[in-house]
Amino acid sequence: MLARAWGLTRSLAMYHGIPGRHRRMRRFYSGFLAPGDLAFDIGAHVGSRVRPWRRLGARVLAIEPQPDCLRVLRLMFGRDPGVTVLPVAVGAQAGHAALALSSATPTVSTLSRDWIDTVTADDSFARVHWDRTIEVPVTTLDELIAAHGEPAFCKIDVEGFEADVLRGLSRPLRALSFEYLPQAHDAMLTALDLVERLGAQADGYRYNYAPVETMRFAADEWLDAAGLLRLLDRYRPLNRSGDVYARLR
């Protein structure tokens, strides 16, 4: 219980306690969201995106399977009619799956055992422990869209499970993001390939990268997939995570 309390407090301080962070997020995401738009926050955690998106006037679907994080989301946004909190995970197909929880560091709780095996080989994860497992319901992006509508923007941050989330999507979205972790570069390559295939149904995607919650793009111009990979190769030696952004041409 102490580890869970510490982990949740740390997340709240990290994502809600830094002065100016939400203001920077509003400015950044105003390029993707306008009043009345629908946004999907897959892996909402403690709602760091929900608040600035609501300030932009967007409706938000906050999707989070971790029970402790769900309590926070419901406490903070449960009375907001513009926010729908769903206690599920998202994957390639509907059903149930085992969620590995890290009580002290809930930001790295994951559905991907392969991802755990990959990142624990890196020294930066030496003190991270996944100490319990729970079963959670799983839905798909296609099912979410059928029930709630197509989002103008979809954020996917699910600790190595991004490709599985994308496998449950059959149409290109206007814009989306997915997490990049240098220690799991191959997982990013799989996710990028899936996004490219979705984009082929339309005019294709262009990409950019924002390092470590900076809310700033690393490239001055939007890039094709090859250009994105060259950009990420510059950041891999720094061993710093971030988010890949994709938008239709």
Side-chain angles (χ1 to χ4, degrees), residues 118-184:
T118 298
V119 300
T120 49
D122 189 272
D123 290 343
S124 62
F125 281 79
R127 297 185 179 181
V128 177
H129 300 284
W130 289 265
D131 51 304
R132 56 198 178 103
T133 301
I134 61 172
E135 187 178 82
V136 297
V138 180
T139 188
T140 68
L141 270 173
D142 279 345
E143 289 185 343
L144 291 172
I145 290 169
H148 301 276
E150 185 170 314
F153 181 78
C154 176
K155 180 212 105 181
I156 306 171
D157 185 350
V158 288
E159 310 308 314
F161 210 64
E162 287 79 8
D164 291 82
V165 172
L166 290 165
R167 289 188 181 102
L169 177 64
S170 61
R171 70 183 80 180
L173 303 180
R174 191 169 83 189
L176 59 88
S177 70
F178 58 90
E179 186 183 31
Y180 171 60
L181 195 67
Q183 298 93 328

Side-chain angles (χ1 to χ4, degrees), residues 13-14 16-24:
M14 182 187 310
H16 291 288
I18 297 176
R21 167 168 278 183
H22 287 161
R23 184 172 60 252
R24 291 194 300 273

